[in-house]
Amino acid sequence: MKTKNGSLFSKICCSGKATSREHKVSHLNATSEIRDACKDLVLSDEQLRLVMQKLTDEINRGLSSETHDDAIVKCFTTYVQDLPNGTEKGNFLALDLGGTNFRVLLITLDGQSFDMKSKIYAIPQSLMLGTGTQLFDHIAQCLALFVNDLKLQNEVLPLGFTFSFPLNQHGLTNGNLVRWTKGFNCSGVIGENVVALLEEAIDRRNDVKIDVCAILNDTTGTLMSCAWKNRNCRIGLIVGTGSNACYVEKTKNVQCATPGNYAAHKPDMVINTEWGAFGEGGVLDFVTTEFDRAIDENSINSTRQLFEKMISGMYMGELTRLVLEKLVDAGLLFGGKCPSDLRKRGKFFTKYVSEIENDPKGKYTNCRDVLAELGLRNVSDQDCENVRYVCSVVSRRAAYLVSAGIAALLNKMGENDVTVGIDGSVYRYHPHFHDLMVAKIGELQNYKFDLMLSEDGSGRGAALVAAVASQNR
């Protein structure tokens, strides 16, 4: 996959049609004072290799039966041992819950062809912070509406449930919530089997025939979705609202699995690392900045998910805002005048980072539009260049940390030609994330690899897990 906008950038920058003024500003760089203020956000390869080493140590602790309970990177067993092979046929439902919206999908498989119908449903914040019963009743209601609209209420439909929160799994249909993330905090769910809660909500309605065949994480769904097209796909990665990765591990290394709930003779098993928690307990203090500490202190899950908070879309915009606010207060931006919106948490959206970095070099159209939304007008080209530098430093660090994680997994697997299936808004929409990752992963390890964008999210992967599981039954 090529960089989404790279060729467009080069055409714009090299077209020779710039005015003399534009030609001059195209050589602007962030000031030395700005660069110095951001230096802690710039990571060296030495630091990234130390991140790799520490992550590998944590993964090994998660896989071991002796240290799993105390491990930070849990490496939860998914009990998915079979990847799709193209023979799957029939109608399958997928439920994809992982953020402020959830998707319901009907996927009709017939060998290497598929048809997909889907609908997105909102989750009001009151439900995100309400009871688990309220949340699952809402999900069951939307499932029933979807199935009835398609006039399939009398057909038994296997369902794959993508549940993008840390799960301690004891089987394909038995997953207990370990903790809420991404702004959710529903009561009565932590420690409970999420599949049972969904099934109970469906049974309370008693108007559709849904057979929940598997629960999985969005990373596993992404891996399965990409593996359906590319049998080399052995790693699933999410870089969106949150960040996580799964990979195919040798079954003999998975000591933490529940005996009797998997086929020991099968060589492989997908492991959900839950690497978002990496860094808890001070492991990443050597790359943590004052901005990361401020993000953490003001989050609803303070001291948790520290690696994720340095990477994901839920925090990238706020990280950038904190840096910009500090630079304004130091008199290095906007003449020291800070608009009120720039002082408000959450007002600098992550999409702004991508938009600002999407400006061709020497032009600041998107940057000025963003700053105008924040109440800043008539800003200088130098201020725009400085803002763009801050955005690039924050997003580049995120891309490099993700790259260190993938490089660690590639080294652990020890295989060539592994494809990494990737989904998530940050990877999908940021103009440089893909190229930054390709370059840095190549520098940090020596195995051949490829990055593959998951075209339809983790929904199809959930349906494929349900398809494989129902076939195995």
Side-chain angles (χ1 to χ4, degrees):
M1 192 184 80
K2 303 299 181 188
T3 306
K4 306 168 194 70
N5 298 297
S7 58
L8 176 63
F9 284 174
S10 58
K11 286 176 185 173
I12 293 172
C13 293
C14 304
S15 63
K17 295 180 181 177
T19 64
S20 58
R21 180 176 179 276
E22 286 172 332
H23 181 71
K24 288 175 184 174
V25 300
S26 70
H27 293 290
L28 279 177
N29 291 311
T31 63
S32 58
E33 293 91 347
I34 294 286
R35 290 173 180 271
D36 186 60
C38 295
K39 67 180 185 298
D40 289 346
L41 291 161
V42 179
L43 301 180
S44 67
D45 282 357
E46 183 181 8
Q47 287 174 305
L48 292 171
R49 288 195 171 91
L50 188 53
V51 169
M52 290 170 61
Q53 177 194 318
K54 289 179 178 292
L55 178 59
T56 302
D57 291 343
E58 293 294 332
I59 287 172
N60 288 331
R61 283 177 55 79
L63 290 172
S64 168
S65 57
E66 295 178 0
T67 52
H68 174 79
D69 288 347
D70 298 322
I72 291 167
V73 179
K74 284 295 185 185
C75 289
F76 290 123
T77 308
T78 67
Y79 298 91
V80 173
Q81 294 185 268
D82 298 294
L83 300 184
N85 59 21
T87 65
E88 297 78 20
K89 292 185 179 182
N91 288 327
F92 304 94
L93 282 176
L95 170 60
D96 187 359
L97 173 65
T100 52
N101 300 310
F102 69 93
R103 284 196 308 161
V104 181
L105 307 93
L106 176 76
I107 294 179
T108 304
L109 296 171
D110 186 5
Q112 282 298 308
S113 66
F114 82 103
D115 179 64
M116 183 171 76
K117 298 178 177 68
S118 67
K119 189 164 184 180
I120 295 175
Y121 298 91
I123 302 178
Q125 189 171 28
S126 59
L127 289 182
M128 293 171 67
L129 302 174
T131 68
T133 301
Q134 290 171 324
L135 175 66
F136 285 101
D137 279 346
H138 175 64
I139 292 170
Q141 179 185 25
C142 295
L143 268 173
L145 287 170
F146 182 80
V147 169
N148 280 296
D149 284 348
L150 295 172
K151 297 182 169 50
L152 292 172
Q153 62 270 24
N154 294 320
E155 181 178 335
V156 177
L157 296 167
L159 179 141
F161 184 11
T162 302
F163 187 76
S164 305
F165 303 91
L167 280 176
N168 193 356
Q169 277 193 247
H170 304 287
L172 260 183
T173 58
N174 189 336
N176 295 36
L177 176 65
V178 175
R179 67 170 74 159
W180 285 113
T181 59
K182 301 179 219 177
F184 279 76
N185 197 16
C186 297
S187 62
V189 185
I190 291 175
E192 297 295 321
N193 179 8
V194 178
V195 172
L197 295 178
L198 176 61
E199 288 175 334
E200 288 163 10
I202 293 170
D203 290 344
R204 279 194 289 274
R205 298 188 58 83
N206 196 30
D207 57 353
V208 285
K209 299 176 180 178
I210 294 174
D211 177 20
V212 184
C213 290
I215 187 165
L216 60 149
N217 194 274
D218 51 354
T219 52
T220 306
T222 296
L223 189 159
M224 294 291 280
S225 180
C226 291
W228 188 69
K229 287 189 170 182
N230 181 340
R231 295 303 299 275
N232 287 335
C233 187
R234 313 277 285 175
I235 295 175
L237 170 66
I238 301 293
V239 194
T241 304
S243 182
N244 189 20
C246 69
Y247 74 104
V248 176
E249 179 59 271
K250 293 177 179 64
T251 304
K252 65 182 181 181
N253 295 335
V254 188
Q255 301 173 14
C256 56
T258 303
N261 285 356
Y262 66 97
H265 65 276
K266 292 187 177 180
D268 299 320
M269 187 181 295
V270 178
I271 293 296
N272 166 26
T273 66
E274 286 297 339
W275 78 10
F278 180 42
E280 294 174 18
V283 179
L284 284 178
D285 283 359
F286 70 102
V287 288
T288 302
T289 68
E290 61 183 284
F291 312 111
D292 299 306
R293 289 188 285 274
I295 286 276
D296 183 52
E297 288 165 8
N298 289 299
S299 68
I300 66 169
N301 57 345
S302 182
T303 74
R304 302 291 187 91
Q305 300 296 109
L306 300 181
F307 193 53
E308 180 172 78
K309 286 171 180 171
M310 300 169 81
I311 292 168
S312 74
M314 187 167 185
Y315 307 99
M316 188 181 288
E318 179 63 8
L319 266 169
T320 306
R321 185 195 70 81
L322 289 168
V323 180
L324 294 174
E325 184 181 31
K326 179 183 178 179
L327 296 175
V328 174
D329 289 344
L332 300 175
L333 262 184
F334 314 136
K337 297 175 182 174
C338 190
S340 60
D341 274 1
L342 196 57
R343 293 209 184 274
K344 294 176 183 173
R345 281 205 300 272
K347 278 291 189 177
F348 196 96
F349 306 123
T350 295
K351 69 173 185 174
Y352 289 167
V353 177
S354 293
E355 289 169 1
I356 288 169
E357 291 195 69
N358 227 337
D359 271 330
K361 188 165 178 61
K363 294 193 176 183
Y364 306 105
T365 307
N366 292 344
C367 186
R368 285 197 161 89
D369 287 346
V370 167
L371 294 177
E373 286 188 41
L374 294 168
L376 278 161
R377 301 183 185 279
N378 303 317
V379 294
S380 69
D381 285 351
Q382 184 63 64
D383 273 340
C384 287
E385 184 64 32
N386 290 340
V387 169
R388 181 155 65 190
Y389 176 77
V390 171
C391 290
S392 71
V393 165
V394 171
S395 63
R396 182 176 294 255
R397 185 185 72 155
Y400 284 0
L401 287 170
V402 170
S403 299
I406 293 300
L409 291 180
L410 289 170
N411 280 341
K412 188 168 194 327
M413 295 169 72
E415 300 174 21
N416 266 318
D417 300 316
V418 168
T419 295
V420 183
I422 312 179
D423 200 4
S425 53
V426 173
Y427 177 83
R428 188 178 291 268
Y429 298 119
H430 188 280
H432 309 306
F433 220 84
H434 170 83
D435 276 12
L436 289 169
M437 284 184 64
V438 168
K440 189 52 67 177
I441 295 170
E443 290 170 7
L444 293 175
Q445 56 80 53
N446 295 319
Y447 291 101
K448 294 179 183 176
F449 68 95
D450 189 25
L451 305 185
M452 176 182 180
L453 178 66
S454 176
E455 293 176 7
D456 42 45
S458 57
R460 183 171 70 181
L464 284 161
V465 174
V468 172
S470 61
Q471 276 192 351
N472 287 344
R473 284 180 180 179

